[in-house]
DNA sequence: GCCAACGTTGGC
DNA sequence: GCCAACGTTGGC
C-alpha cells in the first residue's frame, strides 16, 4: 500500500520546472527530525505533492518516489535521509495554501498543523480532496 | 534535565 | 520587513 506525502521547496532554489527539466531529482538537505522520519518512511512508488513555498504558496504537481531509503549525500555524518523523485503529473490548477486552509476536510493535515515541516504526510482522504480541488 | 536565548523557516 | 512557530544551544 503506497503512502502519500507533501514536499516543500522554494522555487528559487528548486522548482517544479527544474525537476521536470532534469527528469529525476534527489531530495536532500533536510535537517529536521520529523521531516527526516517521513523521508525515511518513503518507499518506491509512493506519491507526493510538490509544493512551492515562499513564492507561489501552492501545490503545483505530483511526483513519484523513484528510490527510497537513501542517505543524504550532502551529510558527512550519514545520519540524514534522502529519496529520489520523478515528476509524475502537473496539476491542471495549482492548489494554493489559501484554498487548503479554507477547506475544512484539510484542517487536520500536517501541512496546516505544522506549517514549517518541509516533508509532511498526507492521508489518502486528504490526497483525494486535494486532487479533486486541482481539477478546478 | 530544565529553560531562556537565539537562529531559522515560512506565511503574511 | 515583521512575527509566530519551532528547533537547537548552552548555562545552570
Amino acid at each position: 500500500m503506497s503512502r502519500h506525502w507533501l514536499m516543500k521547496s522554494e522555487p528559487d532554489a528548486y522548482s517544479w520546472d527544474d525537476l521536470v527539466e532534469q527528469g529525476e531529482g534527489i531530495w536532500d538537505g533536510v535537517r529536521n527530525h520529523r521531516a527526516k522520519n517521513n523521508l525515511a518512511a518513503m518507499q518506491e512508488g509512493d506519491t507526493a505533492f510538490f509544493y512551492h513555498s515562499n513564492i507561489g504558496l501552492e501545490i503545483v504537481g505530483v511526483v513519484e518516489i523513484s528510490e527510497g531509503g537513501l542517505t543524504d549525500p550532502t551529510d558527512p555524518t550519514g545520519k540524514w535521509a534522502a529519496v529520489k523523485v520523478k515528476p509524475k503529473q502537473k496539476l491542471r490548477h495549482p492548489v494554493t495554501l489559501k484554498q487548503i486552509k479554507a477547506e475544512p476536510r484539510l484542517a487536520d493535515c500536517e501541512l496546516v498543523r505544522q506549517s514549517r515541516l518541509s516533508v509532511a504526510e498526507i492521508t489518502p482522504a486528504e490526497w483525494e480532496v486535494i486532487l479533486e480541488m486541482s481539477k478546478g
Side-chain angles (χ1 to χ4, degrees):
Chain A
M1 170 74 187
S2 77
R3 296 163 78 183
H4 303 299
W5 311 93
L6 179 139
M7 308 167 90
K8 290 189 190 179
S9 183
E10 299 186 23
D12 269 358
Y14 195 78
S15 71
W16 170 263
D17 287 341
D18 292 335
L19 177 62
V20 169
E21 202 171 294
Q22 292 172 13
E24 183 174 37
I26 184 160
W27 211 278
D28 57 21
V30 169
R31 294 294 181 270
N32 171 286
H33 289 285
R34 188 148 166 201
K36 181 245 165 184
N37 288 342
N38 284 338
L39 274 182
M42 290 181 185
Q43 295 190 349
E44 191 178 326
D46 285 2
T47 45
F49 287 124
F50 191 112
Y51 175 83
H52 278 176
S53 65
N54 274 329
I55 303 168
L57 305 184
E58 57 192 13
I59 295 169
V60 290
V62 175
V63 299
E64 184 172 331
I65 311 305
S66 52
E67 194 176 349
L70 304 172
T71 50
D72 188 336
T74 69
D75 166 33
T77 70
K79 285 182 190 167
W80 296 99
V83 297
K84 284 186 181 175
V85 299
K86 283 181 175 174
K88 193 172 181 192
Q89 94 193 60
K90 189 170 184 170
L91 297 187
R92 186 166 354 139
H93 302 288
V95 178
T96 65
L97 182 63
K98 210 173 168 182
Q99 288 175 279
I100 291 167
K101 286 189 166 172
E103 171 53 61
R105 287 173 294 172
L106 300 177
D108 272 342
C109 71
E110 269 194 325
L111 174 68
V112 174
R113 283 207 324 269
Q114 195 177 340
S115 65
R116 286 186 50 203
L117 189 63
S118 58
V119 182
E121 182 163 14
I122 302 277
T123 69
E126 289 159 359
W127 180 267
E128 290 305 321
V129 169
I130 294 171
L131 275 186
E132 199 57 39
M133 288 164 77
S134 76
K135 291 172 185 166

